[in-house]
Amino acid sequence: VQGTHMLTPPSLEGVISPPTWSLGAFRLRPLRLPDATAWHAYLSNPLVIEHTSFPVLSPAAVEAMVSRALDGYAQAVSCRWALADASDSLIGTCGFSNWSLPHSHAELVYDLNPLFWGTGVMRSAAQQVLSSAFHTVGFNRVHAFVMTSNTPSIRLLETLGFLHEGTLRQFRIARGIARDFHIYARCSSCRATTLRM
């Protein structure tokens, strides 16, 4: 049938921790509990969470986020990497949440210390995790939800070959206010023609 693809469901059997990849001066590695301090430091910046649905987070809440990420590795329900600098300090995170192995899709998520905004490091990180999702794990679809006011994130997704599929009105509550979010997606069958480097 035109428009359909026979797929082998992705498999993460036996994966307890994701791989580590070099990105030149940076690298993607598994999150660790001590990363919570650096993660909380920049998530406490109102500019970082302004165009996201992140609440105001306490140090304990960020520690819980790291613990959930570690549980996600073991249970094969999510996979979020730490983006680390040359000293191995966390400067951002990138990876997948809310994924479904039976349905072969995942949600791309990322955040970055503002000291590194505009450097292209998140584009490199996202390209690496997307390559793994499509070529190694075998996902068919990756989607992302982005607040309609988040112009830099929209630009990143479009650069990565994601297509705008629609707008979800009042989709998430962001610090007490219902906000509209775009949904962007990239599928394995169309990635080669849409990716712009």
Side-chain angles (χ1 to χ4, degrees), residues 3-176:
T4 64
H5 305 277
M6 293 298 293
L7 297 169
T8 302
S11 174
L12 295 177
E13 185 177 350
V15 175
I16 301 173
S17 182
T20 295
W21 293 299
S22 173
L23 301 174
F26 303 92
R27 66 181 187 142
L28 285 164
R29 59 159 174 79
L31 280 161
R32 304 169 187 152
L33 287 173
D35 290 328
T37 301
W39 203 5
H40 177 263
Y42 71 79
L43 289 180
S44 299
N45 185 335
L47 288 176
V48 174
I49 65 170
E50 180 180 7
H51 300 286
T52 75
S53 56
F54 272 120
V56 176
L57 293 161
S58 67
V62 178
E63 288 174 5
M65 288 166 56
V66 176
S67 293
R68 284 194 299 273
L70 299 181
D71 289 342
Y73 299 159
Q75 298 170 21
V77 295
S78 64
C79 193
R80 194 172 192 141
W81 282 264
L83 177 58
D85 63 14
S87 66
D88 204 33
S89 297
L90 180 143
I91 64 160
T93 74
C94 184
F96 305 105
S97 66
N98 302 320
W99 71 19
S100 170
L101 296 179
H103 296 290
S104 194
H105 65 67
E107 178 186 350
L108 178 67
V109 292
Y110 47 82
D111 51 75
L112 186 65
N113 185 318
L115 293 175
F116 298 89
W117 289 359
T119 64
V121 65
M122 185 54 70
R123 182 178 67 248
S124 297
Q127 286 171 335
Q128 178 61 63
V129 302
L130 288 167
S131 177
S132 175
F134 287 125
H135 297 111
T136 304
V137 181
F139 278 109
N140 179 56
R141 171 187 167 92
V142 174
H143 49 260
F145 301 101
V146 57
M147 192 178 286
T148 55
S149 60
N150 195 340
T151 302
S153 189
I154 291 168
R155 187 164 51 244
L156 173 62
L157 291 170
E158 291 177 344
T159 299
L160 292 168
F162 282 68
L163 300 179
H164 179 245
E165 294 188 333
T167 302
L168 306 171
R169 293 179 298 166
Q170 300 186 19
F171 178 58
R172 288 178 175 165
I173 305 299
R175 296 165 301 283

